[in-house]
Amino acid sequence: MPNIDRRIVFILVALAVIIPMLLSINLTVSLSEPTLKFYTYVETLPAGSTIMVAFDYGPSSLAELNPMAKALLKQCFDRDIRVIGITLVVDALTLANALIQEVAAEKGAVEGEDYVFLGFRPGAVQVILGMGTDIASVYDTDYNGTAIGEIPMMQDITNYDQIDLLVDFASSDTVESWIIYANVQYDQKIAAGVTGVIIAQMFPYLQTGQLVGLLSGILGAAEYEN
């Protein structure tokens, strides 16, 4: 085998790294049917609608779920759809609030009018069922400590009857809880974005119509952003 000057090898490696960085390469991501259903459902909601977003994941699932949550928030604020953020996972409190604030600042959304983050309350089942009757009975204040009655956008929102869609971004079994206690009990429309490891168990709910749309991990986020 002939000896090759190491400098030539280094130059070739450098070119292999630099050239793709200089070229504008657009990779087309095709939309899967579950992602398209999710996007279309949100896109067809009229301005002034309300979506409740449950950030049910911790830091370990940030890479998979934060991008899809961010894409949804942007879509909502662009379409003047109000967002109520909550979480059933205490580890999500800080990251969920930070994400909402980041996107709201980027889109010029006003806290209390365009969005509110209610935060966390213990007892997932009790929280889900309680909001079916009266959200204020579960969340008497938002994450910042502001009384629900003092938040402008909450004046005409009492329970699931005023929520046009509930979206759960989840890394565990919270999607099933939302389906059992919000969809079955109160006929709440639900969509979900989940990590890749639990996507298989979500498809039956999509097939039965208990989920109106579904995003799967990093691929789902890429599709939705597309």
Side-chain angles (χ1 to χ4, degrees):
M1 182 176 179
N3 291 325
I4 301 176
D5 192 322
R6 287 188 300 173
R7 289 172 295 182
I8 296 177
V9 175
F10 293 151
I11 291 172
L12 291 175
V13 171
L15 290 174
V17 173
I18 294 171
I19 290 175
M21 294 174 64
L22 297 177
L23 297 176
S24 178
I25 301 175
N26 294 318
L27 299 177
T28 302
V29 179
S30 59
L31 292 181
S32 63
E33 184 178 353
T35 299
L36 184 59
K37 285 183 175 180
F38 191 131
Y39 179 84
T40 302
Y41 195 95
V42 176
E43 195 69 10
T44 54
L45 290 175
S49 298
T50 302
I51 290 181
M52 179 174 282
V53 181
F55 299 85
D56 293 332
Y57 59 94
S60 62
S61 302
L62 201 70
E64 283 191 88
L65 300 178
N66 243 31
M68 61 177 73
K70 186 174 184 178
L72 174 65
L73 291 172
K74 287 183 176 181
Q75 183 185 17
C76 289
F77 293 145
D78 282 342
R79 294 189 49 77
D80 293 324
I81 294 173
R82 300 180 297 180
V83 173
I84 299 175
I86 72 160
T87 179
L88 302 178
V89 179
V90 68
D91 290 346
L93 265 175
T94 303
L95 66 88
N97 184 60
L99 180 62
I100 294 175
Q101 296 297 335
E102 175 191 338
V103 179
E106 178 183 336
K107 294 296 182 178
V110 179
E111 187 169 10
E113 296 180 9
D114 302 314
Y115 72 95
V116 62
F117 182 54
L118 299 182
F120 168 81
R121 293 291 185 274
V125 173
Q126 289 76 16
V127 168
I128 296 171
L129 288 173
M131 290 194 297
T133 303
D134 184 11
I135 295 174
S137 70
V138 180
Y139 289 96
D140 55 341
T141 64
D142 69 0
Y143 180 70
N144 298 318
T146 304
I148 291 296
E150 297 177 3
I151 300 173
M153 66 170 280
M154 296 300 295
Q155 298 303 308
D156 61 347
I157 299 174
T158 302
N159 51 42
Y160 294 135
D161 289 342
Q162 292 80 45
I163 305 297
D164 299 286
L165 178 66
L166 186 145
V167 178
D168 188 25
F169 293 111
S171 59
S172 60
D173 60 357
T174 54
V175 177
E176 284 96 334
S177 296
W178 284 111
I179 290 172
I180 293 170
Y181 299 109
N183 174 260
V184 174
Q185 296 280 349
Y186 296 101
D187 197 31
Q188 173 63 57
K189 299 297 183 184
I190 298 175
V194 300
T195 53
V197 295
I198 64 171
I199 186 64
Q201 66 198 64
M202 296 294 109
F203 282 114
Y205 299 116
L206 188 68
Q207 293 166 352
T208 60
Q210 290 173 294
L211 288 177
V212 300
L214 180 63
L215 304 181
S216 172
I218 294 175
L219 177 59
E223 290 178 344
Y224 208 85
E225 290 173 334
N226 191 49

